[in-house]
Amino acid sequence: MARKEIKVLLIEDDPMVQEVNKDFITTVNGFTVCAQAGNGDEGIKLIKENQPELVILDVYMPKKDGIKTLQEIRKQKLEVDAIVVSAAKDKETIALMLQNGAVDYILKPFKLERMRQALEKYKRYKQKIEENDTLSQDQLDAILNIPQQAVQDLPKGLNHFTMNELIAFLKQQTSPLSAEEVAKALGIARVTARRYLDYLEKNGTIQLDVQYGGVGRPVNRYIFKV
């Protein structure tokens, strides 16, 4: 039996962006836009009325911004997932939205393919979760896209949470980064980042790209293997 379409609620104050997002979402197989809201207060009201499975949520909005909206959704224990689509790129806002359960965060302006990837990933996640009443660690790791070779038998001093956070970050990068750049992005020490990167490079999860400058030592940069 085919799964019913995933109901999406758009919470976006710009009517033009709202329509563009609606038109695009409906082109992705398995999704339908059930309602649209121009601010957080209206969005929460429509969540209760329409019971969508997913909200596409902006941050900068009048009356109730995206941060307060998502916090209110969690406070009221409304059973809905959220993907953030916003121009807000400061680390404090991004951290708050992720801490409050956003399953993805897309920066404006964005390519439509990035939205498609987010929706397809969410659809796979929903399907896998609904297929089983209980999940093994291997099944859960597969749903979360965690490479098995990267999380098993970690050396002393390395932990799975930081490892998975680092892997997820590297997956989003399109060019090689140094240990210092990775450390700054994740808020960890450079020497700590280097330990995780060296481990992932040795087990083949990421690849090393040695870049030579004009003066000084070469810089080791790392990128996720596709």
Side-chain angles (χ1 to χ4, degrees):
M1 182 178 176
R3 189 193 190 283
K4 61 180 176 60
E5 289 191 321
I6 294 171
K7 292 168 61 177
V8 181
L9 169 66
L10 291 176
I11 308 179
E12 163 68 56
D13 68 312
D14 187 324
M16 185 176 297
V17 175
Q18 203 177 84
E19 285 306 309
V20 169
N21 287 348
K22 177 184 177 182
D23 290 345
F24 180 73
I25 291 168
T26 56
T27 69
V28 181
N29 185 43
F31 291 86
T32 183
V33 175
C34 63
Q36 297 164 252
N39 59 68
D41 287 333
E42 184 185 0
I44 289 173
K45 177 175 177 289
L46 290 175
I47 289 172
K48 295 176 181 178
E49 292 177 359
N50 293 273
Q51 297 186 327
E53 294 165 88
L54 177 67
V55 296
I56 303 295
L57 177 67
D58 191 11
V59 172
Y60 300 134
M61 295 185 296
K63 295 185 180 180
K64 191 187 290 290
D65 65 20
I67 295 173
K68 293 179 181 177
T69 299
L70 189 53
Q71 289 173 336
E72 187 64 25
I73 287 171
R74 298 306 171 222
K75 182 180 179 180
Q76 295 192 29
K77 298 182 180 180
L78 302 177
E79 295 184 4
V80 64
D81 295 312
I83 291 177
V84 180
V85 178
S86 175
K89 59 176 64 175
D90 60 285
K91 64 181 181 182
E92 290 81 8
T93 296
I94 294 172
L96 274 171
M97 298 305 273
L98 295 176
Q99 288 163 6
N100 281 280
V103 298
D104 206 338
Y105 198 112
I106 301 173
L107 291 173
K108 295 177 180 177
F110 61 90
K111 294 181 179 179
L112 293 180
E113 184 57 32
R114 178 63 179 85
M115 174 74 84
R116 181 184 298 278
Q117 290 173 357
L119 294 174
E120 293 288 358
K121 180 180 178 181
Y122 178 74
K123 182 168 65 174
R124 290 194 299 271
Y125 157 76
K126 290 291 288 184
Q127 290 172 340
K128 291 294 183 183
I129 287 290
E130 292 174 0
E131 282 174 3
N132 304 280
D133 293 328
T134 60
L135 296 166
S136 68
Q137 185 65 61
D138 287 347
Q139 289 172 318
L140 186 55
D141 289 345
I143 291 171
L144 298 175
N145 292 321
I146 299 172
Q148 288 300 301
Q149 72 271 23
V151 299
Q152 296 173 353
D153 303 322
L154 293 181
K156 187 177 180 181
L158 304 187
N159 66 76
H160 289 174
F161 179 83
T162 302
M163 181 68 75
N164 295 338
E165 189 178 37
L166 191 148
I167 290 171
F169 171 71
L170 287 179
K171 276 186 173 182
Q172 297 173 0
Q173 309 311 307
T174 56
S175 58
L177 297 179
S178 67
E180 185 173 358
E181 290 168 327
V182 172
K184 185 176 181 180
L186 297 181
I188 60 178
R190 185 179 63 82
V191 65
T192 302
R194 174 62 63 83
R195 288 194 64 202
Y196 283 92
L197 291 166
D198 286 346
Y199 174 76
L200 291 172
E201 192 268 326
K202 287 175 182 176
N203 73 17
T205 302
I206 62 176
Q207 62 186 44
L208 175 63
D209 179 16
V210 181
Q211 297 186 359
Y212 296 89
V215 180
R217 299 173 58 187
V219 177
N220 290 341
R221 294 182 180 275
Y222 304 85
I223 190 163
F224 195 85
K225 277 189 175 180
V226 180

